[in-house]
Amino acid sequence: MKAALWYGKNDVRVEEIKEPKVEKGTVKIKVKWCGICGSDLHEYLGGPIFIPVENPHPLSKNKAPVVLGHEFSGEVVELGEGVNNFKIGDRVTVEPIVACGTCPACKEGKYNLCENLGFHGLCGSGGGLAEYTVFPQEFVHKIPDSLSYEKAALIEPITVAIHSLRVGSFLTGQTALVLGAGPIGLATIESLKAAGASLVIVMQRKSIRQEYAKRSGADIVLDPNEIDVVSEIKKLTNGVGVDISFETTGAQVGFDIGVNSIKYDGTMVITSIWEHEINFNPNVVVFTEKKLVGTLAYRHEFPAAIAQMSDNRIKAEGYITKKIHLDDINTEGFDTLTGPDKKKHVKILVTPDKSLL
Ligand SMILES: [Zn+2]
Ligand SMILES: [Zn+2]
């Protein structure tokens, strides 16, 4: 079968590889659509980050080249021994977590914090940028007929946002600031509106992404090049600041505005992955009892994301900005997402099946 494999920085190849076989407790999925994610781009431009290169991943026992793709939907085509929750033809998505199940975090149910955490589509256990993949049934989720295969490929990034709200203990009626309107920023805006935020402010520099933020439900979009975002937010919130902020830019400016725009005792949730260290004086949280919390991936939230997307509480309208064939992943996928038009794109979806294009 065909698959996109990461060989190294700037080196992704579409090759023929062996079709994966079902094992006990796993299902085989024929992939319909798979999104290209920011972390795939990080691996492409500056990797390896999550991809095992020197030593095999402790759980997958594999190392590069690895099959990419962790945001995907597909159809069940084969069942391993002992699988009785699924049948051939089921429409599904995969929660792409590879966890040991036995470490202290896993035993607490916090499998996204597994000490040997890996991601399907990064750690060498297969992936969605291929014709087929095989995965344990516990991490496969059925999707209803009301949700298209295209939209189902967006469940994974939406779930990242839903988890970040939980980690930040967001409450209905609170005010929020989202730093950045890339794919995860947009997902956060929509999740906040769906969860009943009373005001969602977005910090985003001038680009088409400001329009995307509004379409996703942002009440106000502020450009740090044009306005003092922190004092504007104070004005909009009776002089105190927002209850919670979500950092999705991975840049100093996002961090600074995010922490300075929350009220006393407020929370900043950090969703972004950082390529560099930044300056931080702890006094900004000490004198005001502000809280900084990190969030990684998701745990137990796929059903909530599927429910909210199925009945349109979360629409993810306009997220899919391009659909391409697996063969064209470099020219139409990675090149586009790193080229001059990159800000126009939210999600590029890839299919191994020409009949879907
Ligand atoms: Zn991702
Ligand atoms: Zn574990």
Side-chain angles (χ1 to χ4, degrees):
M1 67 164 189
K2 257 184 200 168
L5 291 112
W6 184 96
Y7 271 83
K9 204 172 145 179
N10 286 309
D11 186 4
V12 171
R13 304 179 204 168
V14 177
E15 290 184 341
E16 278 296 322
I17 61 167
K18 257 207 225 129
E19 229 174 272
K21 287 201 172 74
V22 283
E23 286 165 27
K24 197 174 170 196
T26 65
V27 300
K28 182 171 175 181
I29 299 162
K30 184 179 197 305
V31 177
K32 297 284 183 182
W33 291 102
C34 182
I36 302 176
C37 167
S39 42
D40 299 326
L41 270 184
H42 281 302
E43 298 288 357
Y44 182 77
L45 291 170
I49 297 162
F50 291 110
I51 294 177
V53 172
E54 294 289 308
N55 300 307
H57 187 274
L59 299 176
S60 78
K61 315 277 187 229
N62 282 325
K63 57 179 185 172
V66 297
V67 180
L68 290 173
H70 59 270
E71 307 178 350
F72 62 96
S73 61
E75 185 185 342
V76 173
V77 291
E78 203 181 331
L79 306 172
E81 190 194 324
V83 175
N84 34 36
N85 289 332
F86 292 92
K87 58 182 193 312
I88 308 292
D90 275 346
R91 307 168 76 250
V92 295
T93 187
V94 159
E95 177 176 1
I97 295 264
V98 177
C100 74
T102 55
C103 75
C106 281
K107 280 188 175 161
E108 256 186 64
K110 296 177 178 167
Y111 55 80
N112 63 322
L113 307 178
C114 173
E115 58 190 34
N116 287 316
L117 181 71
F119 291 95
H120 190 59
L122 287 168
C123 78
S125 58
L129 285 169
E131 288 179 71
Y132 297 94
T133 197
V134 164
F135 211 58
Q137 60 172 338
E138 312 87 278
F139 289 98
V140 179
H141 301 269
K142 283 183 211 169
I143 54 167
D145 292 342
S146 60
L147 195 58
S148 68
Y149 278 125
E150 283 96 329
K151 282 247 168 117
L154 306 174
I155 292 168
E156 196 267 359
I158 294 284
T159 315
V160 170
I162 290 174
H163 181 64
S164 74
L165 265 62
R166 284 210 177 150
V167 165
S169 302
F170 171 79
L171 298 173
T172 301
Q174 286 189 323
T175 56
L177 166 67
V178 178
L179 293 307
I184 294 297
L186 295 175
T188 307
I189 297 165
E190 270 210 72
S191 301
L192 282 164
K193 291 304 271 192
S198 60
L199 176 68
V200 177
I201 303 168
V202 175
M203 183 208 80
Q204 170 63 50
R205 289 206 173 91
K206 200 167 186 62
S207 84
I208 184 85
R209 289 191 170 172
Q210 293 187 332
E211 299 310 310
Y212 293 167
K214 285 187 187 144
R215 188 175 58 196
S216 293
D219 298 297
I220 295 163
V221 180
L222 301 174
D223 180 346
N225 292 343
E226 286 174 358
I227 201 161
D228 178 345
V229 175
V230 176
S231 47
E232 190 61 23
I233 287 176
K234 295 253 158 85
K235 272 188 228 156
L236 291 162
T237 52
N238 297 322
V240 289
V242 289
D243 296 300
I244 188 164
S245 67
F246 295 87
E247 205 320 288
T248 77
T249 68
Q252 176 93 48
V253 58
F255 183 93
D256 290 344
I257 292 176
V259 76
N260 287 315
S261 298
I262 49 176
K263 64 186 282 196
Y264 53 84
D265 196 26
T267 300
M268 176 157 83
V269 181
I270 303 171
T271 320
S272 40
I273 307 280
W274 299 74
E275 286 176 8
H276 308 285
E277 288 182 11
I278 57 166
N279 292 321
F280 167 53
N281 183 335
N283 286 342
V284 303
V285 299
V286 173
F287 297 158
T288 46
E289 293 193 355
K290 290 177 178 177
K291 293 179 272 288
L292 298 180
V293 290
T295 175
L296 179 70
Y298 26 71
R299 58 173 178 264
H300 311 298
E301 287 111 349
F302 260 63
I306 292 167
Q308 291 183 81
M309 288 182 74
S310 300
D311 63 11
N312 269 329
R313 272 172 290 169
I314 291 179
K315 294 188 186 68
E317 217 50 83
Y319 277 37
I320 300 163
T321 45
K322 196 174 179 185
K323 297 200 274 189
I324 64 172
H325 188 260
L326 183 59
D327 286 344
D328 305 321
I329 186 138
N330 281 304
T331 51
E332 300 293 326
F334 289 116
D335 289 353
T336 303
L337 290 171
T338 54
D341 280 347
K342 63 181 181 190
K343 292 226 155 142
K344 275 192 200 156
H345 289 279
V346 183
K347 269 298 158 197
I348 295 183
L349 292 194
V350 184
T351 182
D353 183 350
K354 284 213 164 88
S355 74
L356 296 181
L357 281 164

